[in-house]
Amino acid sequence: MAAIMQAYRPDQNGIVFVHLPKCAGTATTNAIRRAMSPKSEYIGLSISTFGCFEEFDTISDACRNTIVWNADDLPSGPEFVYGHLQFQFTRKAYPAHRFLLLMREPRSRLVSHWLYWRSNSDEALAPWGTWGEWIKSSRQDFDEFVSDRRAFCQTDNVAARLLLQPHPAIREGQLIDESEFGKIKVSLKEALDSIHFVGFTEDQNLSQKLETFIGQPLKFERDNATTIRSADRNLDVRDQVQRIDPAMFERMTYLDKFVWEYALARSNFSGDIEDFRNRCFDRTLNGYHAPT
């Protein structure tokens, strides 16, 4: 297993931040950019972000130009690479870079993702064409949203998808088959072992560990935080979550729980993991206040 503390040095080729959605990625990206002041950088979205979506001709040129279709599309030499980019693409394109991954308790991540997508206005989604309409699937109740195949690319074990795609056991528009979980965990372990820093957002010492890794002090701000839109001011998030079949919820976060628990192990977490997981999730739900 790679050591968690392999500090970046300016004489090295650079850093790749594997940005999982709703895992404090924007705040971390901005903190690193301020600390590094990179001479060159690249941000993009991998094709895996869109799952089984095909109507890319409806997306504006400006938005479509951010999409990375394969590893060969990535530019050579940027000092800092970030965005929702497939790990298999960036690992091929930047073999000498240092890689950073942050994970979050997976049920909390999924609820936050649902609320974040719901918070997008029609105006903000317009340049994304039909993809914007797919994002509006989040305006359904939570149990309906996670059952919508259009969103599986962002709801069904998204960490496993971002780390491993393309992978024969991961098919767009379908839930990952439970019979493949064992094989996928082997692939995940291999991928995670190759990443220089694997952390988890609930770690109280995360900022200090990141500073050690980057080799610079970091200033974090609350960037891109999930908020409840005004139209949802009467939305009871806890009630919404309780409507979902518990078995389905566990299935759609099972592999990501493996990634999260790996991050805890890399950080030498010594407590009761299941109790900690449930407390993290409860704290997330408490953060979205029920209507009064």
Side-chain angles (χ1 to χ4, degrees), residues 28-204:
T28 301
T29 293
N30 291 338
I32 292 174
R33 292 178 71 230
R34 286 189 290 266
M36 285 181 61
S37 297
K39 296 177 182 177
S40 58
E41 58 184 36
Y42 179 79
I43 180 173
L45 293 170
S46 283
I47 186 61
S48 65
T49 302
F50 302 89
C52 58
F53 179 77
E54 296 180 346
E55 298 178 48
F56 292 97
D57 59 332
T58 67
I59 298 177
S60 72
D61 289 345
C63 293
R64 194 165 59 246
N65 288 339
T66 67
I67 301 173
V68 177
W69 305 90
N70 55 63
D72 294 335
D73 289 337
L74 292 167
S76 61
E79 191 174 356
F80 186 38
V81 180
Y82 55 99
H84 302 311
L85 293 167
Q86 290 166 240
F87 175 62
Q88 299 303 322
F89 285 3
T90 52
R91 178 160 72 166
K92 178 181 178 182
Y94 308 114
H97 277 49
R98 299 278 179 163
F99 281 75
L100 159 68
L101 168 71
L102 295 184
M103 190 59 197
R104 181 181 182 183
E105 194 283 312
R107 295 168 301 175
S108 300
R109 192 217 70 81
L110 181 48
V111 171
S112 180
H113 196 110
W114 171 59
L115 292 170
Y116 176 69
W117 266 18
R118 287 176 73 94
S119 72
N120 284 280
S121 67
D122 290 350
E123 293 76 16
L125 294 176
W128 290 97
T130 305
W131 176 245
E133 296 302 313
W134 283 36
I135 290 177
K136 293 178 186 178
S137 67
S138 59
R139 297 177 185 178
Q140 304 175 89
D141 287 345
F142 183 67
D143 59 338
E144 296 171 335
F145 170 65
V146 299
S147 299
D148 193 321
R149 66 184 294 271
R150 294 175 296 177
F152 285 168
C153 55
Q154 299 292 327
T155 57
D156 178 46
N157 292 294
V158 68
R161 290 173 181 269
L162 196 64
L163 288 168
L164 297 183
Q165 283 180 301
H167 190 283
I170 301 176
R171 301 173 183 87
E172 300 298 2
Q174 300 179 31
L175 295 175
I176 299 175
D177 194 320
E178 292 175 281
S179 67
E180 303 281 2
F181 281 1
K183 294 178 182 178
I184 291 176
K185 285 168 68 174
V186 173
S187 298
L188 281 172
K189 176 70 163 52
E190 183 275 329
L192 290 164
D193 282 350
S194 70
I195 296 177
H196 302 87
F197 185 104
V198 180
F200 60 104
T201 62
E202 300 88 357
D203 185 353
Q204 294 182 345

